[in-house]
Amino acid sequence: MTKGKKRKVLLSLSIALTSFVAFNGVSNASAAVPAIEERVAFDNQLEVKAARTSNETLQEWKKWTNDHAYSLTSIQPEAVVQQNIPSTKFEDLEMLKPLLHDKRIVFLGESSHGAAEFSLAKTRLIQFLHQEMGYNVLAFESGMGNAMNAQGQIDKQTAKQTMKDAIFGVWWTKETLPLFEYAKKTQKTDKPLKLAGFDIQQQNAFTNGDWLQNSQLAKQFSEVEEQLVDWSFGTDLKGYQKAKPGIIEVYKQVKSQVQLKENELQAAYPSEPHIVKLMERTLADRIRLADEYVELSIQANIEIEQNKYDSFLKTMEWRDQSMMENLLWLAEEIYPTEKFIVWAHNDHIRKAQSEVMGSPYPVKLMGERLPDIYKKYSYVLGLYMNSGETANNMGEPMAVLPSVKGSIEDILSSSNKPYTFIDMRNRQNERGNSWMFEPRLSYSWGMIQESLVPRDQYDGLLLIDKVSKPNYIK
């Protein structure tokens, strides 16, 4: 979604261990300790045991995980029968009900945007959460205005077109399409699944401007939308600074018409009752984007050519702060009584992204920025893959690297099941699960090695044993 050169991040760990033992004035600790141990063992008739090896610890972790993990029977989306899915189809997901019964937001992550099985698994989870647990709003890491457009016209167009209007192109796949077919079918029920977006980035035109009933202003609006994209990927900072006032003025003119054209907007987007508020918010975001973000983006483009990434990281922080604000606005102003499902990359939803060592984005992103009250009533599920082939944001295939011994993928794969879920939020640190509470290696995008404390970042994990590249729809 953000263009640029590949970033290389080197992970270096240094461990310093010092110990000192003194007993009854004995200064030679190495000589004193064995003598003490032997005496205590003799007095208590106990056998002195050697410390566990790392292999023994790993086997304990794997055994505990195998004993406590859940196996999903399927990740294939379920078929709707007479406006509903038989509840018996979700028996393998029943264990989620006690975990999520008091959670308002369920975050569904993914370690890559290019894994077909991630989209399938998330679609089935969304079906379950919506039908069985009353999560009626699905919010994407995609443009607020784009999802607004898609929801507003969901009854007037195909599921395929709704998908392409609503979300970034990285998810335009045959594996994601069943989600939008499901959403479209729910619109005729008493609890439709409502589509929303919280990203502030541009993806494609979020409205054609016909509702303005002013062909000249609609044309100007379309032109500045294209200009903003071109400037964002360029390096002419001074040129943009000259053009910026004119671009912002067009957006302000369009925004000034929203209240006046309420009837026209409702006619154009009949399935989005909040169209006026959403259109105003989207246009306000565009003004902020033009005023602040584009200059940051241009500066980042300039610095990337010099192998400098400070400005790029600032664009990431700016974007995620805006995404967090948009998500809270949706939850408080548009759907104050609804429960949310959030679809995004693992990086955006993790609770402490800035503490992940080896990440290309070692900054505070959306999940870390959420207020504590929202964290308390949220559940963060990270999706990982153990083998197969994924794709980058350009759709190019990449092999998933073999899991590292003792990594998240290695431990979860000990279940020898295709789809393994483990809850971590409701666990106390004990001998068999201590892996959750200390740094573990894992792969982002199946190839970027990171080190993180699993329980500090996620509430639960879902491992797909083998993934494949998506079947893209153009």
Side-chain angles (χ1 to χ4, degrees):
M1 305 182 324
T2 301
K3 295 185 178 179
K5 300 179 179 178
K6 291 183 179 178
R7 285 96 181 165
K8 295 182 179 179
V9 179
L10 299 177
L11 172 64
S12 62
L13 299 175
S14 61
I15 303 175
L17 175 63
T18 59
S19 63
F20 176 81
V21 179
F23 181 78
N24 286 343
V26 178
S27 59
N28 189 337
S30 60
V33 172
I36 297 166
E37 288 180 344
E38 289 173 8
R39 187 178 70 196
V40 172
F42 177 79
D43 291 343
N44 295 282
Q45 296 183 338
L46 297 174
E47 179 184 354
V48 178
K49 294 183 179 180
R52 291 181 298 164
T53 67
S54 59
N55 282 335
E56 289 171 334
T57 300
L58 180 56
Q59 291 310 309
E60 285 186 0
W61 287 344
K62 289 187 174 183
K63 182 182 184 305
W64 185 95
T65 301
N66 194 36
D67 290 342
H68 291 82
Y70 292 90
S71 176
L72 275 59
T73 58
S74 172
I75 58 169
Q76 293 297 322
E78 303 293 347
V80 176
V81 179
Q82 296 181 342
Q83 295 188 334
N84 211 349
I85 298 170
S87 294
T88 54
K89 295 290 186 179
F90 295 123
E91 288 181 353
D92 61 324
L93 298 177
E94 284 291 314
M95 79 293 188
L96 293 175
K97 287 185 176 180
L99 301 178
L100 305 177
H101 79 282
D102 65 338
K103 302 298 183 286
R104 189 179 177 204
I105 304 177
V106 175
F107 290 90
L108 300 180
E110 56 191 34
S111 61
S112 167
H113 289 325
E117 287 73 14
F118 284 172
S119 292
L120 292 171
K122 289 166 82 168
T123 295
R124 185 166 182 260
L125 285 167
I126 290 164
Q127 290 178 325
F128 167 79
L129 292 170
H130 173 243
Q131 180 178 296
E132 300 296 310
M133 296 195 69
Y135 287 84
N136 294 330
V137 180
L138 173 58
F140 288 96
E141 178 197 336
S142 292
M144 176 178 283
N146 301 85
M148 167 198 75
N149 178 20
Q151 176 62 45
Q153 303 190 60
I154 194 169
D155 289 330
K156 302 194 320 184
Q157 57 191 19
T158 65
K160 178 180 175 181
Q161 188 58 51
T162 298
M163 175 183 73
K164 297 179 78 171
D165 284 349
I167 56 177
F168 285 121
V170 292
W171 293 301
W172 293 0
T173 71
K174 291 182 179 179
E175 293 77 23
T176 312
L177 185 57
L179 172 60
F180 291 89
E181 292 171 341
Y182 172 78
K184 185 175 175 65
K185 289 177 181 177
T186 68
Q187 302 304 307
K188 301 299 184 182
T189 70
D190 59 353
K191 55 172 188 178
L193 180 63
K194 302 157 190 171
L195 307 178
F198 53 86
D199 206 337
I200 196 168
Q201 283 192 136
Q202 285 180 278
Q203 55 192 73
N204 49 35
F206 67 89
T207 178
N208 58 23
D210 290 349
W211 55 273
L212 288 165
Q213 296 187 323
N214 181 330
S215 58
Q216 182 178 357
L217 183 56
K219 182 173 182 292
Q220 290 176 327
F221 171 74
S222 177
E223 289 172 349
V224 296
E225 282 280 270
E226 292 181 10
Q227 291 169 17
L228 213 55
V229 173
D230 291 340
W231 285 115
S232 296
F233 292 115
T235 55
D236 184 3
L237 184 57
K238 290 184 178 179
Y240 176 70
Q241 289 170 340
K242 291 181 181 179
K244 182 169 76 170
I247 292 173
I248 291 176
E249 180 57 31
V250 172
Y251 283 122
K252 286 183 176 180
Q253 288 182 33
V254 175
K255 186 173 180 292
S256 70
Q257 296 298 304
V258 173
Q259 293 282 348
L260 301 174
K261 301 295 183 181
E262 179 177 355
N263 292 337
E264 287 79 6
L265 278 168
Q266 290 176 343
Y269 302 101
S271 299
E272 181 46 86
H274 307 286
I275 186 63
V276 172
K277 286 185 176 181
L278 287 164
M279 185 66 76
E280 285 190 321
R281 179 80 178 192
T282 301
L283 289 165
D285 276 355
R286 276 295 195 269
I287 292 169
R288 287 184 57 220
L289 195 81
D291 191 34
E292 303 172 26
Y293 182 81
V294 176
E295 287 193 37
L296 272 177
S297 183
I298 293 171
Q299 187 62 42
N301 298 336
I302 294 170
E303 292 184 11
I304 285 171
E305 293 183 353
Q306 304 167 358
N307 292 319
K308 299 177 182 178
Y309 302 103
D310 287 349
S311 291
F312 170 73
L313 293 177
K314 288 179 181 178
T315 67
M316 290 292 297
E317 290 185 298
W318 193 97
R319 176 194 174 201
D320 274 66
Q321 174 67 24
S322 299
M323 290 201 296
M324 185 270 291
E325 291 171 358
N326 278 341
L327 182 59
L328 296 188
W329 180 78
L330 287 167
E332 295 169 3
E333 299 295 330
I334 302 300
Y335 301 111
T337 62
E338 296 285 11
K339 295 194 292 186
F340 279 65
I341 306 165
V342 171
W343 177 306
H345 194 281
N346 284 348
D347 290 354
H348 294 298
I349 67 171
R350 288 196 283 222
K351 300 179 184 181
Q353 169 66 22
S354 63
E355 297 177 9
V356 177
M357 293 183 288
S359 170
Y361 317 119
V363 292
K364 290 185 178 182
L365 298 184
M366 181 179 71
E368 187 170 359
R369 292 171 177 268
L370 281 175
D372 288 342
I373 189 65
Y374 277 89
K375 291 179 181 178
K376 180 179 180 181
Y377 293 106
S378 296
Y379 194 94
V380 179
L381 179 64
L383 270 65
Y384 283 89
M385 50 196 167
N386 192 46
S387 64
E389 183 180 67
T390 182
N392 61 21
N393 280 346
M394 307 305 292
E396 300 165 341
M398 303 183 298
V400 177
L401 296 181
S403 61
V404 178
K405 183 179 178 180
S407 65
I408 289 175
E409 295 90 343
D410 179 45
I411 294 169
L412 291 181
S413 66
S414 62
S415 66
N416 295 313
K417 302 292 184 180
Y419 322 115
T420 302
F421 168 80
I422 190 79
D423 172 64
M424 298 187 294
R425 182 164 182 148
N426 301 288
R427 301 293 180 188
Q428 299 297 318
N429 193 343
E430 56 183 279
R431 186 163 178 156
N433 69 12
S434 58
W435 62 269
M436 299 179 184
F437 298 85
E438 56 188 59
R440 294 287 97 207
L441 292 175
S442 65
Y443 283 127
S444 183
W445 296 91
M447 59 181 292
I448 301 173
Q449 196 173 97
E450 300 177 330
S451 176
L452 55 88
V453 178
R455 196 171 179 274
D456 288 353
Q457 301 293 343
Y458 306 106
D459 297 308
L461 294 168
L462 175 61
L463 180 74
I464 309 294
D465 186 63
K466 188 174 184 179
V467 300
S468 55
K469 177 184 173 182
N471 294 287
Y472 291 101
I473 295 174
K474 299 301 182 183

